[in-house]
Amino acid sequence: MIRILENLFPDIYVPSVYELPLEELRKKGIRGLVFDIDNTIAPYDVADADEQLVELFKILKEKGFRLCILSNNNKKRVRRFNQKLRALAVHKAGKPGTKKLRKAMKKMGTDAATTAIVGDQIFTDMWCGHRAGLLCVMTAPICERDQFATWIKRGLERQLMKLYFYRHKQPN
Ligand SMILES: [Mg+2]
């Protein structure tokens, strides 16, 4: 049971992508960042990247990170959202499947040891990342609005994250 949880829990939890621990990531050897879109870097029903996000991606690039968007959403959504971000992008990712994640790493020229996945969901993003052996960074979902199928999963995710935070409060 514990091992299953280790494959679902994040390695690092941050309230939002604007609080990514960039120095820590760099020290861990991370050179590439794979971002989920929906509810990680934008509300699922917002079509374009806002200025704050464009600025973040610019800073990340300047710091030398390779960036790729990896979304289970369709080509149209991913393409339009990426217009201002100008990152690499992979749509219909099929997370928690790892095939497209490997494709994203190939595009970035990074591997499992040098890439972190950043997402808001345990059962897609975190599981996908762990299966491929990546560092997994979880953010709080941006907003409460969600697709119905996602909303169903959220209840269980919330319970698991309660357990995660409880465990992380315990002294080792
Ligand atoms: Mg998401």
Side-chain angles (χ1 to χ4, degrees), residues 94-141:
K95 294 175 282 185
T98 58
K99 196 175 148 199
K100 294 287 182 79
L101 173 59
R102 290 175 210 284
K103 185 179 171 186
M105 290 193 285
K106 205 171 176 191
K107 277 174 180 262
M108 292 192 296
T110 58
D111 59 19
T114 56
T115 310
I117 187 168
V118 184
D120 68 306
Q121 282 194 77
I122 286 178
F123 296 110
T124 51
D125 309 306
M126 298 302 104
W127 196 18
C128 174
H130 282 305
R131 287 174 78 190
L134 272 66
L135 186 80
C136 296
V137 182
M138 188 165 163
T139 65

Side-chain angles (χ1 to χ4, degrees), residues 36-40 120-121 125:
D36 169 52
I37 298 181
D38 294 322
N39 266 333
T40 297
D120 68 306
Q121 282 194 77
D125 309 306

Side-chain angles (χ1 to χ4, degrees), residues 13-81:
Y13 179 88
V14 286
S16 86
V17 286
Y18 301 102
E19 292 173 59
L20 286 173
L22 298 179
E23 268 317 299
E24 186 186 342
L25 293 175
R26 198 195 290 273
K27 276 184 197 148
K28 287 180 187 289
I30 300 302
R31 298 288 174 266
L33 298 171
V34 172
F35 286 94
D36 169 52
I37 298 181
D38 294 322
N39 266 333
T40 297
I41 54 177
Y44 90 94
D45 52 359
V46 171
D48 295 302
D50 65 18
E51 260 176 50
Q52 191 186 12
L53 187 65
V54 172
E55 184 62 24
L56 174 66
F57 268 51
K58 202 178 131 206
I59 289 167
L60 291 173
K61 281 182 203 165
E62 282 167 4
K63 286 183 181 287
F65 289 101
R66 308 298 310 270
L67 307 175
C68 187
I69 282 168
L70 180 74
S71 172
N72 282 358
N73 218 318
N74 60 41
K75 189 176 184 178
K76 195 175 157 215
R77 159 67 160 156
V78 173
R79 221 182 227 187
R80 169 148 179 198
F81 194 80

